[in-house]
Amino acid sequence: MDYALLWFVLLGVLLAGYAVLDGFDLGVGMLTPVAKNDHERRILFNSIGPLWDGNEVWLVTFGGALFAAFPEAYATVFSGFYTALMAVLGALIFRAVSIEFRSKFKWGWWRGLWDGVFFLSSLVASLVFGVAIGGAMVGVPLDERGVMRATLMDQLGWYPLLVGAMTVALFAQHGALFLRLKTKDELRERVDRWAWRLHGAFALLWIAVTVATMVALPHALTNFAHAPWALLVPVLNVLAILNISRSMKKGHELAAFFSSGATILALVFLLGVAIFPNLVASSPYPEHSLTIHNAASSEKTLWIMSIIALLGMPCVLAYTTVVYWTFRGKVELDEHSY
C-alpha cells in the first residue's frame, strides 16, 4: 500500500467516525419537536451536551487531512462547493450557539427561539452532508485544470437530493436510537415510537437509493468486479439494518444503536469503493478527474503525516472512549445542566 492509498483509507476512517458520532447528535437536534415541554427538551440537550463538540473534531480533522494530503482536491471541493460548505459551516456554528445560549435565560420566547435554530441547523447540516455524498457519486464538471464549472443548481440533481433525504432519515433514526439509551418513562416511550417511524422511513429511502444507484450510476459498481470480496459489505449492511428492527423489538437498546452505527460504517465504505481511485470524479470527462495519485502531496509530506497520525490517533480514540464511558447511562438534570 502506497502513502496516497493509505491516506485515502484514513480519510474514509475520519469521515466514518464523524458520520457515526456526530450523526446521532444531529439526529437528536432534529428530534427536539418530540419533547413536550422545557424539562424534556433539557434532557435532549443534555444527552449530547458532553459529547457534541468532541464529535465535530472528526470533521475538522477530516478537512485538515484532506488539505495536507490532497491539496488539489481540497482546493476544488472548497471552491466548487463554496455555497454548500458555507451552509454547513453556518449550521454547525448556530447549533453550537443554540446549545450554549438557550440555557442563559429562562424566558419562554428565548428558549423557543434557540430550540428552533437548533432543529433547523441540525436538519440543514444533515441534508447538505447527504447531498454532498450524492454529488460525489454522480461526479461534477471539471475542466482540464481540475477546476469545477458548475452552479449551485447544477449540484442539486435528483440523485443527490435523494441521498440527502436518506441521510436525514438515517441520522434522525441514529439519534432516536441514542435517545432510547438516555431517556426513560413517558419521553422514552415517545422516542421509541419515533424510532420505529424513522427506521421505516430510512429503510424505504435506502431501497430507493440502492435501486437508483444500480440503474442510474452503473459506474459505481465497476470496482466490485475487481474486488469481489467487497460484496460482503452490502450483505453486512442489509444484516445491520435488519438487526436494528430485531433489537428494537427485543428491547436491546445498545445492540440497536450499534447496528445503526454499523449501517453508517458500511455506507461510507461503499462510497469509498464506488468512487475509488477518484477523490473528485469528473462528469462528463472522466480524464479530468482528481485521483488519489494526481491530487496527492509529495511522498515525504504523506510520510510525515503518517507518523503524526500514528502518534495522534490512539490519543483521540482513548479520549473518546473515556468521555463516552464517563457520561454513560440515563440523563439526570441538575443545577449545572443546560
Side-chain angles (χ1 to χ4, degrees):
M1 178 183 293
D2 59 28
Y3 284 117
L5 179 56
L6 172 64
W7 274 98
F8 179 74
V9 173
L10 290 178
L11 283 176
V13 171
L14 291 170
L15 183 63
Y18 172 73
V20 170
L21 297 179
D22 210 34
F24 73 75
D25 68 54
L26 288 169
V28 170
M30 290 186 282
L31 285 168
T32 47
V34 173
K36 282 186 173 179
N37 51 48
D38 186 65
H39 178 78
E40 289 187 349
R41 276 187 286 277
R42 289 184 68 204
I43 292 175
L44 265 58
F45 274 88
N46 282 278
S47 69
I48 61 171
L51 309 172
W52 67 269
D53 47 357
N55 294 340
E56 292 185 356
V57 168
W58 289 77
L59 181 62
V60 175
T61 308
F62 173 84
L66 181 64
F67 168 75
F70 303 103
E72 289 195 37
Y74 176 92
T76 296
V77 169
F78 277 74
S79 59
F81 292 106
Y82 185 80
T83 305
L85 289 171
M86 288 300 103
V88 171
L89 182 60
L92 295 179
I93 290 173
F94 276 108
R95 283 187 83 241
V97 169
S98 59
I99 292 174
E100 298 297 334
F101 275 23
R102 81 173 303 278
S103 60
K104 300 303 180 187
F105 300 103
K106 294 184 179 180
W107 305 328
W109 67 269
W110 175 267
R111 294 195 170 191
L113 169 67
W114 292 113
D115 290 345
V117 171
F118 187 58
F119 167 77
L120 284 176
S121 55
S122 301
L123 177 63
V124 169
S126 303
L127 179 64
V128 176
F129 185 74
V131 170
I133 297 295
M137 291 282 290
V138 173
V140 293
L142 301 179
D143 65 15
E144 66 279 4
R145 297 172 54 213
V147 178
M148 190 184 300
R149 304 294 183 187
T151 65
L152 177 62
M153 295 307 297
D154 294 333
Q155 300 164 13
L156 296 177
W158 66 270
Y159 183 83
L161 288 173
L162 181 62
V163 177
M166 184 192 73
T167 305
V168 169
L170 174 60
F171 284 175
Q173 169 201 264
H174 201 40
L177 295 174
F178 176 75
L179 286 176
R180 291 173 92 239
L181 293 165
K182 309 299 285 186
T183 57
K184 55 187 177 182
D185 302 329
E186 183 188 350
L187 178 58
R188 165 68 168 73
E189 294 174 4
R190 214 175 310 127
V191 166
D192 195 48
R193 289 196 291 274
W194 274 98
W196 278 107
R197 294 168 186 164
L198 292 166
H199 179 57
F202 164 67
L204 291 174
L205 287 166
W206 177 83
I207 293 172
V209 169
T210 302
V211 173
T213 303
M214 297 176 70
V215 173
L217 304 176
H219 64 271
L221 309 177
T222 304
N223 285 329
F224 287 102
H226 305 298
W229 58 269
L231 290 170
L232 182 63
V233 177
V235 176
L236 295 175
N237 191 9
V238 172
L239 293 176
I241 294 172
L242 293 175
N243 197 50
I244 293 172
S245 51
R246 174 182 172 276
S247 299
M248 282 199 294
K249 189 174 182 180
K250 290 181 173 293
H252 298 163
E253 299 170 339
L254 197 59
F257 179 68
F258 280 141
S259 296
S260 180
T263 300
I264 296 174
L265 291 176
L267 291 174
V268 174
F269 178 87
L270 293 174
L271 168 68
V273 173
I275 66 173
F276 182 82
N278 296 321
L279 287 167
V280 186
S282 176
S283 175
Y285 303 108
E287 64 274 17
H288 296 164
S289 298
L290 295 175
T291 70
I292 64 171
H293 291 111
N294 67 20
S297 293
S298 67
E299 285 281 306
K300 186 175 183 179
T301 299
L302 296 177
W303 175 77
I304 294 172
M305 289 178 62
S306 302
I307 299 299
I308 295 173
L310 184 65
L311 298 174
M313 284 299 285
C315 298
V316 173
L317 294 174
Y319 168 81
T320 303
T321 303
V322 169
V323 169
Y324 274 77
W325 177 257
T326 302
F327 294 99
R328 67 189 184 281
K330 305 292 184 183
V331 175
E332 299 291 344
L333 299 182
D334 57 35
E335 59 179 324
H336 300 296
S337 302
Y338 289 107

mmCIF file of all heavy atoms in Angstrom, residues 117-161:
data_model
loop_
_atom_site.group_PDB
_atom_site.id
_atom_site.type_symbol
_atom_site.label_atom_id
_atom_site.label_comp_id
_atom_site.label_asym_id
_atom_site.label_seq_id
_atom_site.Cartn_x
_atom_site.Cartn_y
_atom_site.Cartn_z
ATOM 1 N N VAL A 117 -33.729 27.218 16.179
ATOM 2 C CA VAL A 117 -32.433 27.305 15.487
ATOM 3 C C VAL A 117 -31.709 25.961 15.555
ATOM 4 O O VAL A 117 -31.120 25.500 14.560
ATOM 5 C CB VAL A 117 -31.571 28.417 16.118
ATOM 6 C CG1 VAL A 117 -30.156 28.371 15.554
ATOM 7 C CG2 VAL A 117 -32.201 29.778 15.874
ATOM 8 N N PHE A 118 -31.768 25.316 16.717
ATOM 9 C CA PHE A 118 -31.096 24.023 16.885
ATOM 10 C C PHE A 118 -31.689 22.976 15.946
ATOM 11 O O PHE A 118 -30.951 22.216 15.294
ATOM 12 C CB PHE A 118 -31.243 23.576 18.342
ATOM 13 C CG PHE A 118 -30.453 22.351 18.692
ATOM 14 C CD1 PHE A 118 -29.068 22.314 18.532
ATOM 15 C CD2 PHE A 118 -31.087 21.221 19.201
ATOM 16 C CE1 PHE A 118 -28.340 21.179 18.865
ATOM 17 C CE2 PHE A 118 -30.363 20.091 19.536
ATOM 18 C CZ PHE A 118 -28.997 20.067 19.367
ATOM 19 N N PHE A 119 -33.023 22.954 15.828
ATOM 20 C CA PHE A 119 -33.680 21.993 14.933
ATOM 21 C C PHE A 119 -33.301 22.256 13.470
ATOM 22 O O PHE A 119 -32.881 21.334 12.750
ATOM 23 C CB PHE A 119 -35.196 22.085 15.113
ATOM 24 C CG PHE A 119 -35.976 21.378 14.040
ATOM 25 C CD1 PHE A 119 -36.096 19.995 14.042
ATOM 26 C CD2 PHE A 119 -36.575 22.098 13.012
ATOM 27 C CE1 PHE A 119 -36.804 19.345 13.043
ATOM 28 C CE2 PHE A 119 -37.284 21.457 12.004
ATOM 29 C CZ PHE A 119 -37.396 20.074 12.021
ATOM 30 N N LEU A 120 -33.430 23.521 13.033
ATOM 31 C CA LEU A 120 -33.160 23.833 11.629
ATOM 32 C C LEU A 120 -31.702 23.613 11.252
ATOM 33 O O LEU A 120 -31.393 23.088 10.180
ATOM 34 C CB LEU A 120 -33.561 25.289 11.348
ATOM 35 C CG LEU A 120 -35.059 25.560 11.207
ATOM 36 C CD1 LEU A 120 -35.312 27.048 11.030
ATOM 37 C CD2 LEU A 120 -35.645 24.778 10.034
ATOM 38 N N SER A 121 -30.790 24.015 12.119
ATOM 39 C CA SER A 121 -29.365 23.855 11.802
ATOM 40 C C SER A 121 -28.985 22.375 11.738
ATOM 41 O O SER A 121 -28.165 21.976 10.903
ATOM 42 C CB SER A 121 -28.501 24.605 12.812
ATOM 43 O OG SER A 121 -28.790 24.196 14.125
ATOM 44 N N SER A 122 -29.575 21.556 12.609
ATOM 45 C CA SER A 122 -29.301 20.112 12.560
ATOM 46 C C SER A 122 -29.830 19.507 11.270
ATOM 47 O O SER A 122 -29.172 18.659 10.639
ATOM 48 C CB SER A 122 -29.953 19.416 13.767
ATOM 49 O OG SER A 122 -29.467 19.923 14.980
ATOM 50 N N LEU A 123 -31.031 19.954 10.845
ATOM 51 C CA LEU A 123 -31.626 19.449 9.602
ATOM 52 C C LEU A 123 -30.798 19.867 8.383
ATOM 53 O O LEU A 123 -30.501 19.045 7.504
ATOM 54 C CB LEU A 123 -33.060 19.978 9.476
ATOM 55 C CG LEU A 123 -33.820 19.618 8.204
ATOM 56 C CD1 LEU A 123 -34.010 18.106 8.092
ATOM 57 C CD2 LEU A 123 -35.185 20.321 8.171
ATOM 58 N N VAL A 124 -30.397 21.137 8.333
ATOM 59 C CA VAL A 124 -29.622 21.637 7.186
ATOM 60 C C VAL A 124 -28.280 20.918 7.083
ATOM 61 O O VAL A 124 -27.864 20.486 5.993
ATOM 62 C CB VAL A 124 -29.424 23.158 7.302
ATOM 63 C CG1 VAL A 124 -28.394 23.656 6.273
ATOM 64 C CG2 VAL A 124 -30.747 23.881 7.105
ATOM 65 N N ALA A 125 -27.572 20.772 8.214
ATOM 66 C CA ALA A 125 -26.263 20.101 8.185
ATOM 67 C C ALA A 125 -26.399 18.663 7.689
ATOM 68 O O ALA A 125 -25.590 18.204 6.866
ATOM 69 C CB ALA A 125 -25.633 20.134 9.577
ATOM 70 N N SER A 126 -27.417 17.941 8.147
ATOM 71 C CA SER A 126 -27.613 16.545 7.725
ATOM 72 C C SER A 126 -27.948 16.468 6.242
ATOM 73 O O SER A 126 -27.413 15.622 5.505
ATOM 74 C CB SER A 126 -28.746 15.902 8.539
ATOM 75 O OG SER A 126 -28.475 15.964 9.912
ATOM 76 N N LEU A 127 -28.847 17.361 5.779
ATOM 77 C CA LEU A 127 -29.269 17.335 4.374
ATOM 78 C C LEU A 127 -28.109 17.662 3.432
ATOM 79 O O LEU A 127 -27.881 16.944 2.448
ATOM 80 C CB LEU A 127 -30.416 18.332 4.165
ATOM 81 C CG LEU A 127 -30.961 18.441 2.744
ATOM 82 C CD1 LEU A 127 -31.588 17.119 2.311
ATOM 83 C CD2 LEU A 127 -32.004 19.561 2.632
ATOM 84 N N VAL A 128 -27.353 18.712 3.749
ATOM 85 C CA VAL A 128 -26.242 19.103 2.867
ATOM 86 C C VAL A 128 -25.155 18.034 2.866
ATOM 87 O O VAL A 128 -24.541 17.752 1.832
ATOM 88 C CB VAL A 128 -25.671 20.477 3.294
ATOM 89 C CG1 VAL A 128 -24.466 20.842 2.446
ATOM 90 C CG2 VAL A 128 -26.752 21.550 3.168
ATOM 91 N N PHE A 129 -24.912 17.426 4.043
ATOM 92 C CA PHE A 129 -23.930 16.335 4.120
ATOM 93 C C PHE A 129 -24.318 15.213 3.151
ATOM 94 O O PHE A 129 -23.494 14.707 2.390
ATOM 95 C CB PHE A 129 -23.872 15.813 5.563
ATOM 96 C CG PHE A 129 -22.833 14.774 5.804
ATOM 97 C CD1 PHE A 129 -21.493 15.105 5.864
ATOM 98 C CD2 PHE A 129 -23.178 13.442 5.988
ATOM 99 C CE1 PHE A 129 -20.519 14.146 6.100
ATOM 100 C CE2 PHE A 129 -22.229 12.465 6.225
ATOM 101 C CZ PHE A 129 -20.891 12.829 6.280
ATOM 102 N N GLY A 130 -25.588 14.835 3.136
ATOM 103 C CA GLY A 130 -26.045 13.777 2.241
ATOM 104 C C GLY A 130 -26.016 14.193 0.783
ATOM 105 O O GLY A 130 -25.641 13.393 -0.083
ATOM 106 N N VAL A 131 -26.414 15.440 0.499
ATOM 107 C CA VAL A 131 -26.382 15.927 -0.885
ATOM 108 C C VAL A 131 -24.953 15.921 -1.423
ATOM 109 O O VAL A 131 -24.705 15.572 -2.586
ATOM 110 C CB VAL A 131 -26.997 17.341 -0.962
ATOM 111 C CG1 VAL A 131 -26.747 17.967 -2.332
ATOM 112 C CG2 VAL A 131 -28.498 17.285 -0.684
ATOM 113 N N ALA A 132 -23.978 16.282 -0.566
ATOM 114 C CA ALA A 132 -22.573 16.275 -0.989
ATOM 115 C C ALA A 132 -22.114 14.854 -1.318
ATOM 116 O O ALA A 132 -21.393 14.640 -2.312
ATOM 117 C CB ALA A 132 -21.698 16.870 0.110
ATOM 118 N N ILE A 133 -22.549 13.882 -0.508
ATOM 119 C CA ILE A 133 -22.199 12.483 -0.786
ATOM 120 C C ILE A 133 -22.802 12.047 -2.129
ATOM 121 O O ILE A 133 -22.140 11.406 -2.960
ATOM 122 C CB ILE A 133 -22.704 11.562 0.340
ATOM 123 C CG1 ILE A 133 -22.013 11.907 1.673
ATOM 124 C CG2 ILE A 133 -22.480 10.098 -0.019
ATOM 125 C CD1 ILE A 133 -20.548 11.658 1.709
ATOM 126 N N GLY A 134 -24.065 12.411 -2.340
ATOM 127 C CA GLY A 134 -24.710 12.072 -3.618
ATOM 128 C C GLY A 134 -24.016 12.733 -4.794
ATOM 129 O O GLY A 134 -23.836 12.115 -5.849
ATOM 130 N N GLY A 135 -23.599 13.994 -4.616
ATOM 131 C CA GLY A 135 -22.875 14.692 -5.679
ATOM 132 C C GLY A 135 -21.542 14.039 -5.997
ATOM 133 O O GLY A 135 -21.127 13.979 -7.163
ATOM 134 N N ALA A 136 -20.862 13.539 -4.952
ATOM 135 C CA ALA A 136 -19.589 12.851 -5.169
ATOM 136 C C ALA A 136 -19.790 11.571 -5.974
ATOM 137 O O ALA A 136 -18.933 11.181 -6.785
ATOM 138 C CB ALA A 136 -18.936 12.532 -3.820
ATOM 139 N N MET A 137 -20.925 10.905 -5.763
ATOM 140 C CA MET A 137 -21.211 9.677 -6.512
ATOM 141 C C MET A 137 -21.489 9.985 -7.990
ATOM 142 O O MET A 137 -21.024 9.261 -8.878
ATOM 143 C CB MET A 137 -22.431 8.986 -5.896
ATOM 144 C CG MET A 137 -22.199 8.410 -4.519
ATOM 145 S SD MET A 137 -21.301 6.862 -4.557
ATOM 146 C CE MET A 137 -22.534 5.780 -5.258
ATOM 147 N N VAL A 138 -22.239 11.050 -8.254
ATOM 148 C CA VAL A 138 -22.594 11.398 -9.640
ATOM 149 C C VAL A 138 -21.389 11.943 -10.395
ATOM 150 O O VAL A 138 -21.169 11.647 -11.570
ATOM 151 C CB VAL A 138 -23.743 12.433 -9.637
ATOM 152 C CG1 VAL A 138 -24.017 12.931 -11.057
ATOM 153 C CG2 VAL A 138 -24.998 11.822 -9.033
ATOM 154 N N GLY A 139 -20.577 12.762 -9.705
ATOM 155 C CA GLY A 139 -19.461 13.452 -10.360
ATOM 156 C C GLY A 139 -19.843 14.885 -10.682
ATOM 157 O O GLY A 139 -21.031 15.227 -10.752
ATOM 158 N N VAL A 140 -18.837 15.718 -10.867
ATOM 159 C CA VAL A 140 -19.062 17.141 -11.154
ATOM 160 C C VAL A 140 -18.242 17.526 -12.375
ATOM 161 O O VAL A 140 -17.237 16.881 -12.694
ATOM 162 C CB VAL A 140 -18.640 18.006 -9.940
ATOM 163 C CG1 VAL A 140 -19.551 17.758 -8.752
ATOM 164 C CG2 VAL A 140 -17.185 17.758 -9.572
ATOM 165 N N PRO A 141 -18.678 18.586 -13.105
ATOM 166 C CA PRO A 141 -17.916 19.006 -14.289
ATOM 167 C C PRO A 141 -16.608 19.697 -13.908
ATOM 168 O O PRO A 141 -16.630 20.765 -13.291
ATOM 169 C CB PRO A 141 -18.882 19.972 -14.992
ATOM 170 C CG PRO A 141 -19.805 20.459 -13.937
ATOM 171 C CD PRO A 141 -19.933 19.345 -12.944
ATOM 172 N N LEU A 142 -15.480 19.067 -14.255
ATOM 173 C CA LEU A 142 -14.160 19.645 -14.020
ATOM 174 C C LEU A 142 -13.511 19.929 -15.365
ATOM 175 O O LEU A 142 -13.667 19.151 -16.316
ATOM 176 C CB LEU A 142 -13.270 18.679 -13.220
ATOM 177 C CG LEU A 142 -13.756 18.226 -11.848
ATOM 178 C CD1 LEU A 142 -12.726 17.258 -11.240
ATOM 179 C CD2 LEU A 142 -13.965 19.412 -10.927
ATOM 180 N N ASP A 143 -12.753 21.050 -15.444
ATOM 181 C CA ASP A 143 -12.001 21.296 -16.672
ATOM 182 C C ASP A 143 -10.651 20.584 -16.591
ATOM 183 O O ASP A 143 -10.364 19.858 -15.620
ATOM 184 C CB ASP A 143 -11.872 22.801 -16.932
ATOM 185 C CG ASP A 143 -11.045 23.504 -15.857
ATOM 186 O OD1 ASP A 143 -10.338 22.815 -15.086
ATOM 187 O OD2 ASP A 143 -11.112 24.747 -15.786
ATOM 188 N N GLU A 144 -9.793 20.806 -17.592
ATOM 189 C CA GLU A 144 -8.525 20.088 -17.648
ATOM 190 C C GLU A 144 -7.573 20.484 -16.526
ATOM 191 O O GLU A 144 -6.604 19.770 -16.257
ATOM 192 C CB GLU A 144 -7.851 20.311 -19.014
ATOM 193 C CG GLU A 144 -7.416 21.742 -19.287
ATOM 194 C CD GLU A 144 -8.560 22.636 -19.757
ATOM 195 O OE1 GLU A 144 -9.707 22.146 -19.793
ATOM 196 O OE2 GLU A 144 -8.304 23.817 -20.059
ATOM 197 N N ARG A 145 -7.841 21.604 -15.830
ATOM 198 C CA ARG A 145 -7.021 22.030 -14.695
ATOM 199 C C ARG A 145 -7.614 21.581 -13.360
ATOM 200 O O ARG A 145 -7.093 21.915 -12.302
ATOM 201 C CB ARG A 145 -6.883 23.558 -14.700
ATOM 202 C CG ARG A 145 -6.157 24.113 -15.938
ATOM 203 C CD ARG A 145 -6.236 25.616 -15.964
ATOM 204 N NE ARG A 145 -5.736 26.207 -14.714
ATOM 205 C CZ ARG A 145 -6.207 27.319 -14.186
ATOM 206 N NH1 ARG A 145 -7.219 27.945 -14.756
ATOM 207 N NH2 ARG A 145 -5.694 27.794 -13.074
ATOM 208 N N GLY A 146 -8.716 20.833 -13.399
ATOM 209 C CA GLY A 146 -9.347 20.359 -12.174
ATOM 210 C C GLY A 146 -10.208 21.394 -11.493
ATOM 211 O O GLY A 146 -10.528 21.259 -10.306
ATOM 212 N N VAL A 147 -10.628 22.437 -12.232
ATOM 213 C CA VAL A 147 -11.480 23.489 -11.681
ATOM 214 C C VAL A 147 -12.942 23.148 -11.969
ATOM 215 O O VAL A 147 -13.291 22.803 -13.100
ATOM 216 C CB VAL A 147 -11.133 24.866 -12.279
ATOM 217 C CG1 VAL A 147 -12.073 25.947 -11.733
ATOM 218 C CG2 VAL A 147 -9.681 25.216 -11.983
ATOM 219 N N MET A 148 -13.787 23.230 -10.937
ATOM 220 C CA MET A 148 -15.189 22.881 -11.104
ATOM 221 C C MET A 148 -15.932 23.993 -11.842
ATOM 222 O O MET A 148 -15.816 25.170 -11.496
ATOM 223 C CB MET A 148 -15.842 22.637 -9.741
ATOM 224 C CG MET A 148 -17.238 22.024 -9.828
ATOM 225 S SD MET A 148 -18.044 21.847 -8.224
ATOM 226 C CE MET A 148 -16.883 20.786 -7.384
ATOM 227 N N ARG A 149 -16.708 23.606 -12.863
ATOM 228 C CA ARG A 149 -17.502 24.550 -13.636
ATOM 229 C C ARG A 149 -18.974 24.211 -13.457
ATOM 230 O O ARG A 149 -19.621 23.631 -14.325
ATOM 231 C CB ARG A 149 -17.115 24.481 -15.115
ATOM 232 C CG ARG A 149 -15.633 24.714 -15.412
ATOM 233 C CD ARG A 149 -15.221 26.138 -15.073
ATOM 234 N NE ARG A 149 -13.815 26.386 -15.425
ATOM 235 C CZ ARG A 149 -13.171 27.500 -15.120
ATOM 236 N NH1 ARG A 149 -13.809 28.465 -14.470
ATOM 237 N NH2 ARG A 149 -11.903 27.671 -15.445
ATOM 238 N N ALA A 150 -19.528 24.538 -12.291
ATOM 239 C CA ALA A 150 -20.928 24.195 -12.026
ATOM 240 C C ALA A 150 -21.522 25.219 -11.078
ATOM 241 O O ALA A 150 -20.847 25.724 -10.179
ATOM 242 C CB ALA A 150 -21.015 22.800 -11.405
ATOM 243 N N THR A 151 -22.805 25.531 -11.291
ATOM 244 C CA THR A 151 -23.512 26.426 -10.388
ATOM 245 C C THR A 151 -24.116 25.619 -9.236
ATOM 246 O O THR A 151 -24.078 24.380 -9.236
ATOM 247 C CB THR A 151 -24.635 27.156 -11.133
ATOM 248 O OG1 THR A 151 -25.610 26.175 -11.558
ATOM 249 C CG2 THR A 151 -24.090 27.881 -12.360
ATOM 250 N N LEU A 152 -24.689 26.328 -8.272
ATOM 251 C CA LEU A 152 -25.330 25.646 -7.145
ATOM 252 C C LEU A 152 -26.472 24.756 -7.634
ATOM 253 O O LEU A 152 -26.631 23.630 -7.163
ATOM 254 C CB LEU A 152 -25.859 26.683 -6.148
ATOM 255 C CG LEU A 152 -26.628 26.130 -4.941
ATOM 256 C CD1 LEU A 152 -25.722 25.240 -4.099
ATOM 257 C CD2 LEU A 152 -27.213 27.257 -4.101
ATOM 258 N N MET A 153 -27.262 25.238 -8.612
ATOM 259 C CA MET A 153 -28.385 24.447 -9.112
ATOM 260 C C MET A 153 -27.908 23.195 -9.838
ATOM 261 O O MET A 153 -28.592 22.166 -9.829
ATOM 262 C CB MET A 153 -29.249 25.308 -10.046
ATOM 263 C CG MET A 153 -29.930 26.481 -9.354
ATOM 264 S SD MET A 153 -30.881 25.974 -7.890
ATOM 265 C CE MET A 153 -32.125 24.924 -8.633
ATOM 266 N N ASP A 154 -26.715 23.289 -10.486
ATOM 267 C CA ASP A 154 -26.161 22.108 -11.149
ATOM 268 C C ASP A 154 -25.847 20.997 -10.145
ATOM 269 O O ASP A 154 -25.799 19.815 -10.501
ATOM 270 C CB ASP A 154 -24.882 22.474 -11.909
ATOM 271 C CG ASP A 154 -25.159 23.414 -13.078
ATOM 272 O OD1 ASP A 154 -26.290 23.376 -13.601
ATOM 273 O OD2 ASP A 154 -24.251 24.184 -13.440
ATOM 274 N N GLN A 155 -25.574 21.394 -8.880
ATOM 275 C CA GLN A 155 -25.183 20.412 -7.864
ATOM 276 C C GLN A 155 -26.397 19.780 -7.183
ATOM 277 O O GLN A 155 -26.250 18.888 -6.363
ATOM 278 C CB GLN A 155 -24.301 21.097 -6.811
ATOM 279 C CG GLN A 155 -23.020 21.692 -7.384
ATOM 280 C CD GLN A 155 -22.361 22.673 -6.446
ATOM 281 O OE1 GLN A 155 -22.698 22.771 -5.268
ATOM 282 N NE2 GLN A 155 -21.387 23.428 -6.961
ATOM 283 N N LEU A 156 -27.612 20.270 -7.510
ATOM 284 C CA LEU A 156 -28.828 19.788 -6.829
ATOM 285 C C LEU A 156 -29.658 18.925 -7.761
ATOM 286 O O LEU A 156 -30.819 19.208 -8.029
ATOM 287 C CB LEU A 156 -29.649 20.978 -6.319
ATOM 288 C CG LEU A 156 -28.985 21.846 -5.255
ATOM 289 C CD1 LEU A 156 -29.870 23.026 -4.894
ATOM 290 C CD2 LEU A 156 -28.691 21.023 -3.998
ATOM 291 N N GLY A 157 -29.080 17.865 -8.262
ATOM 292 C CA GLY A 157 -29.833 16.923 -9.098
ATOM 293 C C GLY A 157 -30.719 16.033 -8.242
ATOM 294 O O GLY A 157 -30.666 16.051 -7.000
ATOM 295 N N TRP A 158 -31.545 15.217 -8.917
ATOM 296 C CA TRP A 158 -32.483 14.370 -8.164
ATOM 297 C C TRP A 158 -31.755 13.322 -7.315
ATOM 298 O O TRP A 158 -32.193 12.998 -6.201
ATOM 299 C CB TRP A 158 -33.465 13.686 -9.129
ATOM 300 C CG TRP A 158 -32.833 12.682 -10.062
ATOM 301 C CD1 TRP A 158 -32.320 12.924 -11.297
ATOM 302 C CD2 TRP A 158 -32.623 11.286 -9.811
ATOM 303 N NE1 TRP A 158 -31.803 11.776 -11.840
ATOM 304 C CE2 TRP A 158 -31.989 10.745 -10.943
ATOM 305 C CE3 TRP A 158 -32.923 10.443 -8.749
ATOM 306 C CZ2 TRP A 158 -31.639 9.392 -11.037
ATOM 307 C CZ3 TRP A 158 -32.574 9.092 -8.835
ATOM 308 C CH2 TRP A 158 -31.941 8.587 -9.968
ATOM 309 N N TYR A 159 -30.624 12.789 -7.840
ATOM 310 C CA TYR A 159 -29.935 11.744 -7.068
ATOM 311 C C TYR A 159 -29.300 12.308 -5.786
ATOM 312 O O TYR A 159 -29.493 11.725 -4.705
ATOM 313 C CB TYR A 159 -28.884 11.067 -7.956
ATOM 314 C CG TYR A 159 -28.183 9.924 -7.257
ATOM 315 C CD1 TYR A 159 -28.747 8.660 -7.204
ATOM 316 C CD2 TYR A 159 -26.955 10.126 -6.629
ATOM 317 C CE1 TYR A 159 -28.117 7.613 -6.545
ATOM 318 C CE2 TYR A 159 -26.308 9.091 -5.970
ATOM 319 C CZ TYR A 159 -26.892 7.837 -5.927
ATOM 320 O OH TYR A 159 -26.262 6.817 -5.258
ATOM 321 N N PRO A 160 -28.533 13.437 -5.865
ATOM 322 C CA PRO A 160 -28.004 13.999 -4.607
ATOM 323 C C PRO A 160 -29.105 14.337 -3.601
ATOM 324 O O PRO A 160 -28.924 14.119 -2.390
ATOM 325 C CB PRO A 160 -27.264 15.258 -5.075
ATOM 326 C CG PRO A 160 -26.856 14.954 -6.477
ATOM 327 C CD PRO A 160 -27.997 14.162 -7.040
ATOM 328 N N LEU A 161 -30.247 14.852 -4.084
ATOM 329 C CA LEU A 161 -31.334 15.177 -3.151
ATOM 330 C C LEU A 161 -31.922 13.905 -2.522
ATOM 331 O O LEU A 161 -32.299 13.912 -1.338
ATOM 332 C CB LEU A 161 -32.423 15.961 -3.877
ATOM 333 C CG LEU A 161 -32.044 17.405 -4.248
ATOM 334 C CD1 LEU A 161 -33.130 18.046 -5.106
ATOM 335 C CD2 LEU A 161 -31.800 18.245 -2.992
#
